[in-house]
Amino acid sequence: MHLLIIGAAGMIGHKLAEKVAATGMIGDRKVDVLTLADVIEPEAATDFDGERRAMAVDLSQGGTAERMIADQPDVVVHLAAIVSGEAEADFDKGYRINLDGTRMLFDAIRLTQGYVPRVVYASSLAVFGAPFPDRIPDDFHLTPLTSYGTQKAIGELLLDDYSRRGFLDGVGIRFPTICIRPGKPNKAASGFFSGILREPLNGQDAVLPVPDDVRHWHASPRAAVGFIEHAASMDTARLGHARNLTMPGVSATVGDQIAALRAVAGDGAVAHIRRQPDETIARIVAGWPRDLDTARARDMGFKAETSFREIIQIYVDDELGGVLPSEPASPR
């Protein structure tokens, strides 16, 4: 089986590629050919036992989508996007990459005679915007309040329609905010959710731009990879024409996050958090979902963590070698 990961240089794409290289599988499907694509050439999965290909491409440029699917990969994982804060700041770039690139990919598949791959599309909770119920049901109508959310919502509708018409076999994954993201901060408006945990666990200061009572929906990078693996091999007949699913996660306030950090790493870690209000970020986050009913996704086999301590422990295990920080030094 041939697997194509678009956006393979990003955090989730990199982790997915490494998992595939280690197991030779995605879900219950054996991978013989692995193609990794991004705007910079991905370096992941160099130890993959099968045939590995890597390419530096821009999906939003004409002809790129056709080049990527020329060998008709069986599963296409579409993770390529610019994140929420950047899409809001640069309107044209957001639509070019997040929407035009997606449409080009779907059309390249549609126009390839007899080719109907499984397409796993990375969507977002940003497709939901206030006003919404305290607990958003899976079938709640799309109400984005940002350009990023609008771009993802349009992608979801395209995925449904192209799947309905038989051009591709799509599964759309509405990712929770992924926490704790390893590495350096990105331009996502949600980046502080990881930063207020990651930096203190590494003995560094972190900025908290919103109040402690802000509540949001989270899952770990490990869960994110699991979502994709399951979507790549699940029976899509159960989805019917509603191809997009809200993924399971943990509903937690910023205060809950900080309490879990204190329980794991002590007061010294929490002391690294500096409160610095940012009205722009607070306004964006205020319109995001806080709690979701994900019974449909759970019934179909998708799984995530059930507590924030579990999310922090996964970061410790996967990124810090399983060694709990004893008591990071308090900031000067």
Side-chain angles (χ1 to χ4, degrees), residues 112-131:
T112 302
Q113 190 68 30
Y115 175 49
V116 184
R118 172 68 53 86
V119 175
V120 181
Y121 172 66
S123 188
S124 166
L125 299 183
V127 301
F128 300 126

Side-chain angles (χ1 to χ4, degrees), residues 84-315:
S84 53
E86 188 175 3
E88 197 68 10
D90 191 333
F91 184 88
D92 291 328
K93 184 178 181 182
Y95 273 89
R96 177 173 60 83
I97 294 176
N98 293 346
L99 178 56
D100 296 345
T102 296
R103 176 71 185 274
M104 288 177 178
L105 173 65
F106 290 0
D107 273 347
I109 293 170
R110 175 176 66 90
L111 296 171
T112 302
Q113 190 68 30
Y115 175 49
V116 184
R118 172 68 53 86
V119 175
V120 181
Y121 172 66
S123 188
S124 166
L125 299 183
V127 301
F128 300 126
F132 40 56
D134 290 340
R135 198 159 197 245
I136 302 173
D138 194 64
D139 59 355
F140 191 71
H141 56 291
L142 305 183
T143 55
L145 291 177
T146 63
S147 294
Y148 176 76
T150 300
Q151 293 146 15
K152 288 298 182 181
I154 297 171
E156 286 195 9
L157 293 172
L158 291 173
L159 189 80
D160 278 341
D161 195 41
Y162 281 52
S163 295
R164 179 184 66 83
R165 296 293 300 270
F167 301 140
L168 50 81
D169 182 19
V171 183
I173 295 174
R174 295 184 191 121
F175 282 103
T177 287
I178 301 304
C179 189
I180 302 170
R181 298 180 69 95
K184 298 179 180 179
N186 62 17
K187 294 182 180 180
S190 60
F192 70 89
F193 285 118
S194 286
I196 61 170
L197 303 172
R198 178 185 59 236
E199 271 68 74
L201 285 171
N202 288 282
Q204 301 170 357
D205 288 353
V207 171
L208 174 58
V210 303
D212 285 20
D213 62 357
V214 167
R215 178 177 291 277
H216 196 45
W217 190 250
H218 305 270
S220 73
R222 188 189 295 178
V225 170
F227 298 154
I228 298 168
E229 290 183 296
H230 185 61
S233 59
M234 70 179 290
D235 178 8
T236 54
R238 297 181 61 198
L239 293 174
H241 295 314
R243 292 297 183 119
N244 297 279
L245 294 152
T246 302
M247 292 294 101
V250 175
S251 177
T253 65
V254 168
D256 294 333
Q257 289 185 268
I258 294 172
L261 176 64
R262 179 177 282 110
V264 171
D267 291 336
V270 174
H272 281 283
I273 300 172
R274 295 187 292 107
R275 286 168 170 77
Q276 185 175 311
D278 184 312
E279 291 184 5
T280 300
I281 292 178
R283 184 177 65 253
I284 292 173
V285 173
W288 286 355
R290 297 179 286 273
D291 195 5
L292 298 107
D293 180 354
T294 59
R296 182 168 179 249
R298 292 182 184 278
D299 288 347
M300 294 190 182
F302 291 93
K303 299 176 182 178
E305 297 76 30
T306 58
S307 73
F308 223 98
R309 283 198 64 169
E310 187 179 355
I311 288 175
I312 292 176
Q313 187 61 53
I314 285 172
Y315 177 81

Side-chain angles (χ1 to χ4, degrees), residues 26-70:
I26 184 165
D28 60 6
R29 304 181 69 174
K30 185 177 185 301
V31 179
D32 302 298
V33 180
L34 176 61
T35 299
L36 309 177
D38 212 318
V39 290
I40 59 172
E41 185 171 313
E43 297 178 354
T46 53
D47 57 347
F48 178 60
D49 286 341
E51 181 181 349
R52 177 190 177 277
R53 306 169 185 170
M55 57 177 72
V57 292
D58 183 344
L59 180 59
S60 67
Q61 297 299 311
T64 298
E66 290 80 0
R67 177 184 167 196
M68 285 194 296
I69 60 118

